[in-house]
Amino acid sequence: MERTEDVLLPLTPGLHRRGFATAVVRFGKARLGVLSCHLSLQKDERYAQGGMLLDRLAGLGAPHAVAGGDLNERPEGPTFRRLAAGLTDCRAAAPWGGEATSTPADPHQRIDAIFATRGIEVLGCGVPHGAPGVSEDDLRAATDHLPVLAALRVPA
């Protein structure tokens, strides 16, 4: 691990404080920026946060980067499309496993995603139903959404 940083996003009065958890990691000869997010429930704030996410990812200074988290928006939404325009939507690039992430008791929408910068090969991405060693009970208990897993090949 080279470095980590927690980034607080601007607070809109009456809404939850949001932020990014970031890191730059090395493994082998590869160097990768990583960003985790939980975007706003409010459309305009979420769209602005999407722009901040793209800026922060570019500012990590790593040749390749991955961002993932709860976007609180489906793929046809403006923030999701904004991210997918500049990054690879890993689920769209290589669907694997399940698609819907919310809610665990009745998964019916994809509002969580993983994105990668160009040059990262996406081998598969989705909710890991049936993955070895992972029970459906574990998936539902993990959080208020089903988890998303991406298998990626990062160039050295």
Side-chain angles (χ1 to χ4, degrees):
M1 177 102 43
E2 270 187 30
R3 69 178 187 275
T4 62
E5 181 181 14
D6 293 326
V7 179
L8 290 177
L9 299 177
L11 177 62
T12 299
L15 297 178
H16 291 291
R17 169 73 77 177
R18 304 291 176 158
F20 303 142
T22 68
V24 175
V25 298
R26 285 185 183 268
F27 48 97
K29 293 182 179 182
R31 188 165 173 259
L32 180 69
V34 181
L35 183 149
S36 177
C37 67
H38 186 180
L39 302 184
S40 179
L41 293 169
Q42 199 276 331
K43 181 180 176 181
D44 293 337
E45 182 178 49
R46 182 172 56 244
Y47 190 80
Q49 290 170 349
M52 290 178 234
L53 184 154
L54 292 169
D55 290 345
R56 179 58 61 165
L57 212 57
L60 289 175
H64 303 286
V66 176
D70 180 350
L71 302 184
N72 276 314
E73 185 172 278
R74 295 177 181 171
E76 61 274 9
T79 303
F80 203 114
R81 287 193 327 262
R82 182 180 196 179
L83 297 176
L87 303 167
T88 299
D89 173 359
C90 294
R91 170 73 188 174
W96 169 84
E99 179 176 14
T101 60
S102 180
T103 64
D106 178 27
H108 62 280
Q109 61 182 344
R110 177 165 85 110
I111 62 172
D112 303 271
I114 299 174
F115 294 91
T117 55
R118 307 293 188 237
I120 293 177
E121 182 183 358
V122 183
L123 305 175
C125 182
V127 177
H129 296 293
V134 180
S135 74
E136 289 300 309
D137 287 341
D138 290 340
L139 291 178
R140 285 189 299 275
T143 182
D144 63 336
H145 295 204
L146 293 173
V148 179
L149 175 68
L152 307 171
R153 183 172 291 130
V154 180

